[in-house]
Amino acid sequence: MRVAVIGGGPGGLYFAALAKQLSAEWEITVWERNAREAALGFGVVFSDETLDGIAQADPAVFAAMSAEFARWSDIDVRHRGQLRTSGGHGFAALDRNRLREILQQRCAELGVDVRYGTPAPPVEQLRAGYDLVVAADGIRSATREAFAASFGPQLDERHSRYMWLATDKVFEAFTFIVAQHDFGVLQVHAYPYSAQRSTFIVEIAEQAWQRAGFAALAEPEPARGESDLASVRRCEELLAEHLDGHRLIPNASRWIRFETVRNACWRHENVVLLGDAAHSAHFSIGSGTKLAMEDALALAAGLHEHATVTEALAAYEAERRPVVESTQRAAQASLEWFEGIGRYADQPIDQFAFNLLTRSRRVTYENLRERDAGFVAAVSRAQGLDGESGAQGVLPPMFQPLKLGQLVLRNRVVVPPLATFTATGACPGAFEQAQLAAHALGGAGLVFAGMTAVSPQGRTTPGCPGLWTDEQEAAWRAVVRAVREVSDTPLGIQLTHAGRRGATAPPGPDGTGRPLGASGWPTLAASPLAWGPGHPVPHEANRAELAAVTADFAQAAARAERAGFDALELQFGHGQLLSGFLSPLTNQRTDRYGGPLDNRLRLPLEVLAAVRAAWPAGKPLVVRISAADWAPGGTTEAEAVAICRALAAGGADAVDVSTGEVVADQRPPYGRSYQTPFADLIRNATGVPTIAVGAISSYDDVNSILLAGRADLVAVGRAHLYDPFWTLHAAAEQGYTGPGACWPAPWQPGSRKPPGPRADRVPPRLELLRAPAAPVHRRWLPA
């Protein structure tokens, strides 16, 4: 087997060493364009998980690395002259150049042919002469570009600027510095990597970078390998109080923008991508070197475990892609958090620190509590959560009460509108009543009945309930009365007009409702654009029809009040009629209801005003929006913020922040809590109370969202379909027994989690001397 490796960074060298170790007879050649002794970069950080893999795969490399690790467990957050520390994290860092030396030595011991100071031959030449070509040629991979049609690269260059530096100040922990200046926020990611130096990454938003004068300092652009020394000195001045007289040390340091690399495929015949050539993840969440070395291990193992190169490369990608994509999702969340760091600048230091630590959604409330219970308790107490307590010694954030309008909710959990499609003649029946009662008994702070049409034409399906007749009003009144007999949980109802999404059958297994065809009814929309292929083209609403829609919403609101509901939600999202007016993708009108955002807002605000007049002032009025369309040319973040400001000014007490379903060709990045950043954006940009929604199913995520200040309420939908008593069970899991989780009296004996198998077993002592517990706080204090 003849193997060519393009690139002699840690990933390429580690792969070569592992492959040669497994198959000594292989001929492995590495081309590295830089000299062997070239100093490139600063420190790299490893997780315990990655180190365990290195220890198992090559004990010699692991031993050499371990001998020189900087180790610590604390994270320091410095903001507005204050410091907060969270422990129990566990880090190991090493000089990247020393890591290269270790791997270079290992390759030499094993007989790998490494050609330093030698650019690789053309990849086509290598493909012809070698059985396998491993492209570890970095984020600007020429190999990837040569076969772009096969690899399908997607490059996402971000907006903020950053610069890699080192400092001879040896930090004791991973340190986040947030320095506020008149031009904006300058942030630092710093960590030690030896007894003499720390990595020091400076990051700043584009506009702040311009205002701070860095654009002028960076001109002309330094030549390859040179540093922007003027900017380095300026950073030294601006961050002097955090450097304590120490200097910043450049190494080909200049302002750059981070670029996330994704590829549709990592292999082309006998060529495979490794490390940054295949993928990149923002430096705030992990090390590219770490990912590249994990790739190297998986690729070497795959070649050893499979009979052919084709099989091995397929197995390598199948194994690594899910791991990398998970890391990239977390990295994207972290990247976007830091890009918007200015919106959190006024948060209290404790909440800010918790927000920062949980930014990627990988680290959560419960995870932090396990690592450093004292830190989470301090943050909770600073947020006033030191009243009724659970097993954690403080009140879980989800069980904190909230006043919405004049309505006091006992906790922060919302059961969102969950359609059942079981209404007959648009009247709610036995199933709607049973579902609403079950969720009301389940402990949530607020429960909504779902997707109730304000007119016959406004229904999505024939099985949707309505609220435009006396009969429907009476049916809802009976449902509310029946639920009130067993629960005092506040009940809300969502009012909607389906618009062009109407006249469909109930969704099938794929979640899609097919058009009813001849048995349907005419649909109405902002513009005559069909929802999707096979759907009828809707009628473009005229002024008289818009006035009728406004009146329908107001009349339905009055009926909802008479039926006894405590809260009202208006559906202005998900491609329904009002959503269709808000989105530039679905509103192509040229009259006063189309064009600029102010015009697109006109009908939604008219409806809101009419409903606000019909709905009691003290009862909460919530509006749901789609803050993103997940399609090119759709609603922007700035527009979403402007929409919510206008809704709040028009009388909305809170905004239920969803996304998508506006156009059929949307491409949402589905994943856990994927919509929460929009609730976060709107809450912290406008001060309007928000409800976070979307793929939130654990009480840990709910607590994390609330304590970080990303939303005021959290809607848990599908998890409540799986377990209607989700909120009460979350209380039991956390050992919480306070007023935020009221078990119905007949069920009180079940308010504690039942014991599981072998719960009564008491394990014997089997250690003569117990090992001392690892300290929560560990600092890097080299001798």
Side-chain angles (χ1 to χ4, degrees), residues 139-151:
I139 201 163
R140 303 294 176 204
S141 171
T143 308
R144 185 182 66 224
E145 293 308 308
F147 301 111
S150 295
F151 293 129

Side-chain angles (χ1 to χ4, degrees), residues 426-429 433 469-481 563:
C427 285
Q433 179 177 313
T469 70
D470 292 344
E471 182 185 8
Q472 294 158 3
E473 181 182 324
W476 277 118
R477 187 180 303 111
V479 168
V480 171
R481 186 184 303 116

Side-chain angles (χ1 to χ4, degrees), residues 221-544:
E221 184 176 334
R224 177 180 172 82
E226 294 183 354
S227 297
D228 178 359
L229 296 179
S231 289
V232 174
R233 298 288 81 83
R234 174 70 168 146
C235 287
E236 224 169 40
E237 295 169 4
L238 293 169
L239 297 163
E241 65 176 297
H242 302 287
L243 289 168
D244 300 324
H246 292 270
R247 63 194 177 103
L248 293 180
I249 303 166
N251 183 341
S253 303
R254 66 181 70 191
W255 293 110
I256 54 179
R257 294 185 178 96
F258 187 81
E259 189 166 60
T260 299
V261 175
R262 299 179 178 89
N263 283 280
C265 181
W266 296 357
R267 60 196 194 279
H268 168 71
E269 297 181 359
N270 66 334
V271 180
V272 66
L273 302 178
L274 184 148
D276 282 350
H279 49 72
S280 64
H282 193 249
F283 53 82
S284 64
I285 199 64
S287 163
T289 300
K290 165 190 173 300
L291 287 175
M293 291 181 70
E294 290 175 353
D295 283 356
L297 189 153
L299 179 56
L303 290 165
H304 185 69
E305 293 167 353
H306 293 84
T308 68
V309 167
T310 299
E311 292 172 335
L313 299 190
Y316 156 69
E317 183 169 351
E319 178 181 336
R320 284 296 294 162
R321 182 177 284 280
V323 177
V324 167
E325 289 178 348
S326 173
T327 300
Q328 287 187 315
R329 284 192 295 272
Q332 187 72 14
S334 180
L335 175 158
E336 291 173 1
W337 192 93
F338 279 109
E339 284 184 337
I341 196 171
R343 74 177 71 123
Y344 311 115
D346 293 330
Q347 282 190 328
I349 179 62
D350 296 278
Q351 186 177 48
F352 179 88
F354 180 88
N355 195 351
L356 185 151
L357 292 173
T358 59
R359 67 194 180 278
S360 71
R361 302 195 285 275
R362 274 192 167 181
V363 176
T364 62
Y365 175 89
E366 191 67 22
N367 182 266
L368 276 179
R369 192 187 68 81
E370 291 173 0
R371 298 180 189 211
D372 186 351
F375 171 79
V376 173
V379 175
S380 298
R381 283 192 293 270
Q383 294 288 89
L385 301 177
D386 53 356
E388 291 285 344
S389 64
Q392 302 157 352
V394 292
L395 175 67
M398 65 186 290
F399 294 114
Q400 185 181 29
L402 176 72
K403 188 175 183 181
L404 194 61
Q406 295 301 311
L407 180 64
V408 178
L409 307 180
R410 64 170 61 100
N411 63 52
R412 304 299 185 95
V413 179
V414 175
V415 178
L418 298 168
T420 64
F421 308 107
T422 55
T424 301
C427 285
F431 198 92
E432 285 88 354
Q433 179 177 313
Q435 176 170 289
L436 206 59
H439 289 147
L441 288 166
L446 176 61
V447 176
F448 278 104
M451 221 157 85
T452 303
V454 298
S455 67
Q457 193 180 33
R459 291 171 297 157
T460 301
T461 77
C464 289
L467 196 45
W468 66 84
T469 70
D470 292 344
E471 182 185 8
Q472 294 158 3
E473 181 182 324
W476 277 118
R477 187 180 303 111
V479 168
V480 171
R481 186 184 303 116
V483 175
R484 287 273 183 267
E485 291 178 2
V486 296
S487 173
D488 64 352
T489 297
L491 302 176
I493 188 169
Q494 184 194 69
L495 301 180
T496 187
H497 189 298
R500 67 180 189 151
R501 298 200 64 181
T504 63
D510 63 354
T512 303
R514 304 289 186 264
L516 292 173
S519 63
W521 50 87
T523 56
L524 192 70
S527 299
L529 302 171
W531 161 251
H535 288 254
V537 175
H539 166 64
E540 180 174 300
N542 58 40
R543 294 287 293 275

Side-chain angles (χ1 to χ4, degrees), residues 3 13 26 36 70 120 139 175 179 184 222 228 275 346 376 425 438 488 531 546 595 619 697 782:
V3 181
L13 292 173
W26 287 8
R36 175 169 184 162
I139 201 163
T175 303
D228 178 359
D346 293 330
V376 173
D488 64 352
W531 161 251
L546 297 184
K619 289 190 175 184
S697 59

Side-chain angles (χ1 to χ4, degrees), residues 483-718:
V483 175
R484 287 273 183 267
E485 291 178 2
V486 296
S487 173
D488 64 352
T489 297
L491 302 176
I493 188 169
Q494 184 194 69
L495 301 180
T496 187
H497 189 298
R500 67 180 189 151
R501 298 200 64 181
T504 63
D510 63 354
T512 303
R514 304 289 186 264
L516 292 173
S519 63
W521 50 87
T523 56
L524 192 70
S527 299
L529 302 171
W531 161 251
H535 288 254
V537 175
H539 166 64
E540 180 174 300
N542 58 40
R543 294 287 293 275
E545 289 166 328
L546 297 184
V549 165
T550 301
D552 288 341
F553 270 95
Q555 290 165 12
R559 290 182 181 277
E561 202 282 322
R562 291 196 296 268
F565 284 100
D566 304 292
L568 189 67
E569 178 170 279
L570 303 180
Q571 173 62 288
F572 286 7
H574 292 180
Q576 308 276 304
L577 179 64
L578 279 302
S579 170
F581 276 82
L582 288 171
S583 173
L585 295 177
T586 52
N587 185 341
Q588 298 182 0
R589 301 172 72 100
T590 57
D591 63 2
R592 62 199 300 265
Y593 290 94
L597 180 60
D598 285 349
N599 283 5
R600 302 201 308 270
L601 263 166
R602 193 180 304 277
L603 179 64
L605 291 180
E606 289 175 354
V607 169
L608 176 60
V611 169
R612 186 74 273 183
W615 183 250
K619 289 190 175 184
L621 177 54
V622 180
V623 180
R624 172 172 280 208
I625 68 161
S626 287
D629 298 340
W630 303 122
T635 302
T636 65
E637 288 190 358
E639 287 178 325
V641 169
I643 288 168
C644 292
R645 284 201 175 105
L647 295 175
D653 295 297
V655 181
D656 189 349
V657 186
S658 187
T659 64
E661 299 188 47
V662 175
V663 291
D665 59 346
Q666 63 175 1
R667 293 291 182 271
Y670 291 118
R672 187 175 120 253
S673 306
Y674 74 103
Q675 297 181 122
T676 299
F678 293 94
D680 182 355
L681 164 70
I682 288 163
R683 181 184 191 271
N684 287 289
T686 68
V688 177
T690 61
I691 303 174
V693 306
I696 302 168
S697 59
S698 76
Y699 65 78
D700 191 15
D701 282 334
V702 173
N703 284 330
S704 300
I705 291 165
L706 294 169
L707 192 58
R710 299 185 182 115
D712 300 273
L713 293 159
V714 179
V716 178
R718 293 192 181 187

